[in-house]
Amino acid sequence: MMAEKTDRRIRKTKAQLRRGLAKLLKEKTIKEITVKELVEEVDINRSTFYLHYTDIYDLLEQTENDLKNEILEIVNKDQRLRMEETMPYITELFVFIADNREIASALLGPHGDVTFMRQIEQIILSHCMKYLKPYLEQLDERTLESVNGFCIAGCIGLIISWMKHDFEDTPESMARMTYTLVLSALKPYMQSIAE
């Protein structure tokens, strides 16, 4: 019972630090954020911060790794083989973003980590390739990657717009919009190369 209480306290402290980091990242770059400023923001002791992290960069890295692992978990449990069956997967990704809106907005915002965004794009890109490949079999690998890149860029644009408007739309409606726009762009292209 004591270990459970300690674990809950650690999770709560880490969540506070993550929220504080998200708030500060909306205002400044990671290079401009100090441990002193962060612990004052979330009202905890510096010594508590150092129990969990070596510095601000370690907090950022662990936060990004946690998010990447959760996205990989969503992606890896998706075993659908046809593009028409991907709506639940897309919806789950949007729900995940909504549930993590503070840190997602910070990391994808103007002071965010471009490397992190590229890593997320790569995770989604490699996962989407398996859906596009059967539909675009006659394409060489480079062209297929370009088509997929186009789709991913559009999806990231939708997410950033959603964030900009304070997540007004539901994850389900964003997933539906993403799915519809991607398919409406791909279908004419697939028809044109089939002719």
Side-chain angles (χ1 to χ4, degrees), residues 148-179:
N148 206 352
F150 169 81
C151 295
I152 296 300
C155 293
I156 296 294
L158 282 172
I159 292 167
I160 290 171
S161 175
W162 187 38
M163 291 176 179
K164 184 179 164 188
H165 295 283
D166 295 323
F167 300 88
E168 285 177 2
D169 297 302
T170 66
E172 293 77 15
S173 67
M174 290 303 298
R176 199 173 314 107
M177 183 190 303
T178 301
Y179 177 81

Side-chain angles (χ1 to χ4, degrees), residues 46-80:
R46 283 173 71 105
S47 58
T48 303
F49 174 89
Y50 287 114
L51 280 174
H52 307 291
Y53 307 103
T54 55
D55 56 23
I56 289 290
Y57 296 98
D58 185 35
L59 168 59
L60 178 65
E61 182 181 349
Q62 286 190 42
T63 299
E64 290 177 344
N65 285 340
D66 289 346
L67 292 172
K68 277 189 288 193
N69 288 336
E70 289 184 59
I71 290 170
L72 279 168
E73 205 173 288
I74 293 168
V75 166
N76 289 334
K77 74 178 175 184
D78 177 45
Q79 298 300 317
R80 294 164 193 86

Side-chain angles (χ1 to χ4, degrees), residues 12-187:
K12 184 179 176 190
T13 299
K14 287 184 170 188
Q16 279 179 271
L17 288 167
R18 191 164 139 170
R19 280 193 300 276
L21 178 64
K23 184 175 181 194
L24 292 172
L25 276 172
K26 288 180 181 176
E27 302 163 8
K28 52 181 73 177
T29 67
I30 191 71
K31 292 177 186 174
E32 300 169 307
I33 299 172
T34 64
V35 171
K36 181 179 186 293
E37 180 181 26
L38 176 62
V39 297
E40 285 175 1
E41 176 68 38
V42 297
D43 195 27
I44 65 166
N45 296 322
R46 283 173 71 105
S47 58
T48 303
F49 174 89
Y50 287 114
L51 280 174
H52 307 291
Y53 307 103
T54 55
D55 56 23
I56 289 290
Y57 296 98
D58 185 35
L59 168 59
L60 178 65
E61 182 181 349
Q62 286 190 42
T63 299
E64 290 177 344
N65 285 340
D66 289 346
L67 292 172
K68 277 189 288 193
N69 288 336
E70 289 184 59
I71 290 170
L72 279 168
E73 205 173 288
I74 293 168
V75 166
N76 289 334
K77 74 178 175 184
D78 177 45
Q79 298 300 317
R80 294 164 193 86
L81 297 175
R82 297 175 37 185
M83 200 179 330
E84 293 82 8
E85 299 171 337
T86 60
M87 265 304 287
Y89 153 76
I90 298 168
T91 302
E92 193 170 348
L93 281 175
F94 275 99
V95 167
F96 172 77
I97 293 166
D99 289 347
N100 293 277
R101 66 185 66 200
E102 291 173 5
I103 195 67
S105 295
L107 291 173
L108 297 175
H111 301 296
D113 184 353
V114 175
T115 304
F116 173 73
M117 188 159 79
R118 296 294 169 250
Q119 290 170 344
I120 297 305
E121 286 176 357
Q122 193 55 49
I123 290 169
I124 296 171
L125 180 74
S126 61
H127 183 67
C128 291
M129 287 287 272
K130 75 179 185 183
Y131 294 115
L132 291 178
K133 213 168 193 164
Y135 294 91
L136 303 167
E137 286 175 342
Q138 62 273 44
L139 298 182
D140 60 83
E141 204 65 31
R142 189 186 61 74
T143 306
L144 180 60
E145 191 175 312
S146 296
V147 170
N148 206 352
F150 169 81
C151 295
I152 296 300
C155 293
I156 296 294
L158 282 172
I159 292 167
I160 290 171
S161 175
W162 187 38
M163 291 176 179
K164 184 179 164 188
H165 295 283
D166 295 323
F167 300 88
E168 285 177 2
D169 297 302
T170 66
E172 293 77 15
S173 67
M174 290 303 298
R176 199 173 314 107
M177 183 190 303
T178 301
Y179 177 81
T180 304
L181 288 172
V182 167
L183 275 186
S184 64
L186 283 180
K187 281 185 179 178

